[in-house]
Amino acid sequence: DVKVTQSSRYLVKRTGEKVFLECVQDMDHENMFWYRQDPGLGLRLIYFSYDVKMKEKGDIPEGYSVSREKKERFSLILESASTNQTSMYLCASSLDTSDSGNTIYFGEGSWLTVV
Amino acid sequence: RKEVEQDPGPFNVPEGATVAFNCTYSNSASQSFFWYRQDCRKEPKLLMSVYSSGNEDGRFTAQLNRASQYISLLIRDSKLSDSATYLCVVNMEGTALIFGKGTTLSVSS
């Protein structure tokens, strides 16, 4: 059974803190993604990665960075958390991009509150 | 980035009703199309792919009109368990999936 695991489900952080959100997938997928989801705004792509040590900016990369040192792990980093980064963060992975909708799997989400 | 647009709803229907959701996409280079379902406070999950010839899965029928850049999802004989948000999703080769903002369906008894 495919699994995308987001280790931190619920976090409360203070403004200015550095925050790490970890994501691990067990299906040897090349592609990994980080989205955030907010009411009325839908899913917005932050960063994605097609290979180890490779990253591409999505639609809203400002205030975020990512790290992909190993194929199975894709980390999202908030260098200095701000209250407008309070959101639900979704990690996803897929096998390839040509038909990735059929093979994209999401983690259960990380609910981050910045106070 | 080009957008995918959906009517946000909510659609409030009684059990047994037929309901249709529509979605338009702006980039004609889009190649693959999908409907995802998302339950409250859960992650999105693939409901079905959408093909030009139309495809059906039980009570669910999806249609694609490439000329009009339009995708639809029809749900027949609605069940309480169909209550969820339905996301229209578009893919172009070499890019990440583009999600619509979702249409909320509430089925009541």
Side-chain angles (χ1 to χ4, degrees), chain B residues 13-80:
Chain B
V13 303
E15 276 186 292
T18 296
V19 61
F21 304 139
N22 302 319
C23 169
T24 58
Y25 60 96
S26 57
N27 194 324
S28 59
S30 300
Q31 294 183 317
S32 307
F33 309 90
F34 312 91
W35 284 101
Y36 274 69
R37 171 192 168 129
Q38 186 173 24
D39 294 299
C40 187
R41 298 181 70 85
K42 298 285 190 181
E43 72 275 22
K45 293 184 179 178
L46 179 67
L47 177 66
M48 58 196 305
S49 301
V50 188
Y51 304 112
S52 297
S53 55
N55 50 301
E56 190 173 307
D57 182 3
R59 298 181 293 107
F60 298 83
T61 301
Q63 294 275 358
L64 166 65
N65 184 321
R66 285 188 183 271
S68 302
Q69 296 181 198
Y70 171 94
I71 305 160
S72 66
L73 177 68
L74 182 77
I75 305 175
R76 292 181 299 278
D77 189 22
S78 298
K79 311 291 184 191
L80 293 174

Side-chain angles (χ1 to χ4, degrees), chain A residues 6-78:
Chain A
Q6 295 181 233
S7 52
S8 300
R9 296 293 317 280
Y10 302 95
L11 308 94
V12 179
K13 298 291 182 181
R14 295 191 181 279
T15 301
E17 276 193 79
K18 191 169 186 176
V19 181
F20 292 86
L21 297 180
E22 304 287 349
C23 176
V24 177
Q25 50 95 1
D26 64 359
M27 277 300 292
D28 202 34
H29 285 170
E30 285 83 12
N31 307 318
M32 297 190 74
F33 311 87
W34 274 105
Y35 293 87
R36 64 177 282 178
Q37 188 172 31
D38 302 285
L41 297 178
L43 276 152
R44 293 182 291 167
L45 182 65
I46 305 171
Y47 267 97
F48 58 102
S49 170
Y50 291 144
D51 203 350
V52 175
K53 296 190 186 296
M54 176 273 176
K55 61 186 178 185
E56 293 280 348
K57 292 181 179 179
D59 297 317
I60 51 164
E62 296 78 19
Y64 303 95
S65 61
V66 290
S67 172
R68 192 152 181 215
E69 295 296 317
K70 294 184 178 181
K71 191 174 186 179
E72 67 271 19
R73 187 180 297 271
F74 192 36
S75 303
L76 180 70
I77 304 154
L78 287 67

Side-chain angles (χ1 to χ4, degrees), chain A residues 92-110:
Chain A
S93 72
S94 72
L95 192 58
D96 59 55
T97 57
S98 61
D99 193 20
S100 57
N102 272 326
T103 57
I104 191 168
Y105 298 92
F106 284 90
E108 293 182 305
S110 296

